[in-house]
Amino acid sequence: MNLTPKQKKLLNWALVVAGVVVIVLNIISRCTGVENMEQEGAEEEYISINHLISNDMSDSESTKKLDNYVEKFLKRWEIKGGSLAIMKEGKLVYAKGYGWADEEDSLKTGPGNIFRVASLSKLITATAIMKMVEDSLLALDDKVFGENGILNEEQFSHYRDKRVPRITVEHLLRHKGGFATYRGDPLFSTREIMIWEGLDTVPDMDRVIEYSLSQRLGFTPGASTKYSNAGYLILSKIIEKLSGMSYEEYCQKYILHPSGCHDMHLARNLYEDKYENEVRYYEPHDATPILAYNNSGDSLYRRYGGNNIEGLFGAGGWVSSPSEFVMFVSRIDGEETTPDILSAESIKRMITCVGGELPIGWSRAGAGSEWKRTGTLAGSSAIVKKQKDGTIWMFVTNTSSWKGNKFPRYIETMVRRASSGIEFPDQNLLDFI
């Protein structure tokens, strides 16, 4: 194409202008992108206290007696490692790890290590259900099964016992659903269920619930009390159905993150799949392997593959540090020192017990009394307690004891004696967040 000098001049100017426009648009795009990224980051960015605190922050002359007492306790009971956190008047005044987080890798326990907390998980599940009640997603007297139940799907309609449609949400929360364990606890009988039901794959949450419903109830719902992990698995399913989210995601978004807890997750079965700052688990020295939960034929220890930890969900599946767990408890304790995530009415309902029934989420609670929740698994023992003076503390181990579910009582006694007369540092470790 032959252009005149005037046309060439105009074309050059046009190219210059076009280039300037492209540069300006790129600048605007980049600035807008950076701004959007900053905004998105601001929404998602958080720092867990687990990554900010260390043992030396709780060192003081006045707490040496406590440290020595705990260390002797761990040695006496052959516990590899443990962790303690204490909150007073809304302040995290003490957080320390003891012993080995992972002896094989020579890693000492710190306050930021996370542990399986076993049935302390039920307190998270119960709080999530009470949050749903406050948000009008359900009511405590709602029926769970049957045509008008929350879980009215076809797969849950083939229950063996005609009394199943009487089960309410509150029955499950207070272990009054009537579930029996004639053939063992279904959450710890994964391999057996696979054999009994002729399954080729590990049963998921829905399939375990179906299996539980295929068994005869031990009593009429509401008429008695029998501790039930299956009941809290069903509550996990209710949370998923009504929220449209996974159980873990709902609890993190609406319960844990608003409480300042960002390093609490559902546990995994095997050591190689553990979280980066999670401890290694141990059993008593005379523990023996059992057949793997997935019916593979492998012989594994209960702590790593013998039991299906990933199948526990809201009954016992969470991992947490004591520091974050006491932060969570401080948000459901009814005290004025820290804003609660539940209403005063909901908190009161959780700790109110009539006629000897169990509290909601807690092992023991009541107005004017101490509140506590205990938990044990192969590889861990845990207890969290709110004392009458409002102090909240939690202790957890990465080693189970031959005492089984009675061992948290020994921990409770140890912490009471070890902390007696101790003057804790005048600090709030939460200030580091």
Side-chain angles (χ1 to χ4, degrees):
M1 179 183 293
N2 294 323
L3 300 176
T4 65
K6 184 176 182 180
Q7 289 174 323
K8 289 181 180 179
K9 185 175 182 180
L10 290 172
L11 180 59
N12 287 336
W13 274 108
L15 292 173
V16 170
V17 171
V20 171
V21 170
V22 170
I23 292 172
V24 171
L25 289 175
N26 282 337
I27 292 173
I28 293 173
S29 176
R30 289 173 182 173
C31 291
T32 303
V34 170
E35 182 179 354
N36 288 340
M37 287 175 64
E38 290 177 348
Q39 290 176 349
E40 291 175 4
E43 293 176 356
E44 299 178 0
E45 184 178 0
Y46 56 79
I47 301 177
S48 167
I49 192 171
N50 290 342
H51 304 296
L52 297 174
I53 57 176
S54 58
N55 278 339
D56 60 333
M57 292 179 179
S58 294
D59 282 340
S60 68
E61 285 296 321
S62 62
T63 58
K64 284 185 176 180
K65 167 181 169 282
L66 182 151
D67 294 338
N68 291 335
Y69 205 109
V70 173
E71 289 166 358
K72 289 179 181 178
F73 176 83
L74 296 183
K75 183 177 181 179
R76 175 189 174 190
W77 288 99
E78 299 181 350
I79 305 298
K80 298 291 185 181
S83 188
L84 171 67
I86 301 173
M87 284 194 77
K88 288 178 173 288
E89 299 179 347
K91 298 178 181 180
L92 184 62
V93 298
Y94 188 87
K96 185 173 277 193
Y98 301 89
W100 295 109
D102 191 326
E103 187 175 34
E104 288 80 344
D105 286 344
S106 299
L107 297 176
K108 291 288 189 176
T109 310
N113 286 118
I114 56 179
F115 297 68
R116 293 173 181 168
V117 299
S119 283
L120 271 62
S121 303
K122 292 181 174 68
L123 193 53
I124 299 173
T125 306
T127 302
I129 290 291
M130 298 306 292
K131 173 65 175 173
M132 285 188 154
V133 172
E134 292 187 359
D135 291 342
S136 300
L137 294 175
L138 57 74
L140 292 182
D141 60 359
D142 281 350
K143 297 295 193 298
V144 177
F145 300 106
E147 183 178 353
N148 298 315
I150 298 171
L151 302 180
N152 57 3
E153 290 86 350
E154 167 67 18
Q155 66 194 104
F156 302 131
S157 65
H158 305 291
Y159 39 83
R160 176 180 177 182
D161 198 305
K162 294 182 179 180
R163 296 172 293 179
V164 164
R166 303 185 194 182
I167 299 173
T168 68
V169 173
E170 187 162 6
H171 288 156
L172 299 180
L173 287 167
R174 297 187 186 274
H175 302 276
K176 301 178 74 171
F179 292 102
T181 52
Y182 300 119
R183 304 176 78 179
D185 189 326
L187 274 65
F188 292 93
S189 304
T190 307
R191 174 180 167 273
E192 288 77 8
I193 292 174
M194 292 179 68
I195 295 172
W196 296 332
E197 301 290 299
L199 304 178
D200 295 326
T201 58
V202 175
D204 60 10
M205 180 193 296
D206 289 3
R207 191 66 185 83
V208 175
I209 293 174
E210 287 183 65
Y211 170 78
S212 299
L213 295 175
S214 71
Q215 308 301 303
R216 183 169 54 86
L217 295 180
F219 56 87
T220 299
S224 186
T225 300
K226 182 176 177 60
Y227 194 83
S228 173
N229 284 312
Y232 271 75
L233 183 71
I234 295 169
L235 290 169
S236 304
K237 178 63 180 180
I238 289 173
I239 290 170
E240 291 197 341
K241 178 175 181 179
L242 297 183
S243 69
M245 305 165 68
S246 73
Y247 164 78
E248 180 180 31
E249 184 182 6
Y250 178 85
C251 291
Q252 289 173 335
K253 183 174 182 179
Y254 291 101
I255 302 301
L256 301 175
H257 292 179
S259 300
C261 306
H262 297 282
D263 196 16
M264 295 172 70
H265 322 274
L266 285 183
R268 298 164 180 168
N269 280 326
L270 304 178
Y271 173 78
E272 52 266 31
D273 296 325
K274 74 181 184 70
Y275 296 94
E276 183 178 359
N277 60 324
E278 187 177 1
V279 298
R280 183 192 289 263
Y281 300 101
Y282 302 87
E283 294 175 54
H285 68 274
D286 57 349
T288 57
I290 63 172
L291 290 173
Y293 78 92
N294 59 6
N295 202 28
S296 65
D298 296 333
S299 291
L300 302 171
Y301 284 96
R302 285 178 171 82
R303 65 186 184 271
Y304 285 128
N307 290 331
N308 183 17
I309 304 300
E310 294 175 13
L312 297 180
F313 292 95
W318 285 93
V319 292
S320 173
S321 70
S323 297
E324 285 206 336
F325 207 92
V326 295
M327 288 167 58
F328 157 63
V329 172
S330 74
R331 297 304 189 98
I332 57 168
D333 67 349
E335 302 289 343
E336 296 180 357
T337 51
T338 307
D340 289 320
I341 58 172
L342 294 178
S343 68
E345 291 76 15
S346 293
I347 294 171
K348 182 179 179 180
R349 184 72 176 267
M350 291 177 70
I351 66 168
T352 299
C353 307
V354 179
E357 65 185 3
L358 292 174
I360 292 176
W362 296 94
S363 301
R364 186 181 72 193
S369 68
E370 296 180 329
W371 308 356
K372 72 176 180 179
R373 173 76 251 183
T374 62
T376 55
L377 283 172
S380 60
S381 295
I383 178 172
V384 65
K385 189 171 182 178
K386 180 202 170 190
Q387 299 178 171
K388 291 182 180 180
D389 64 359
T391 298
I392 301 169
W393 61 264
M394 175 180 167
F395 193 94
V396 61
T397 73
N398 66 350
T399 312
S400 52
S401 165
W402 60 273
K403 287 286 187 180
N405 59 14
K406 296 180 180 179
F407 192 61
R409 301 179 191 174
Y410 292 82
I411 296 176
E412 183 177 9
T413 300
M414 180 273 292
V415 172
R416 184 181 71 249
R417 292 175 177 174
S419 59
S420 177
I422 297 294
E423 183 177 344
F424 290 95
D426 184 17
Q427 63 180 356
N428 184 8
L429 296 174
L430 300 182
D431 291 341
F432 291 95
I433 298 180

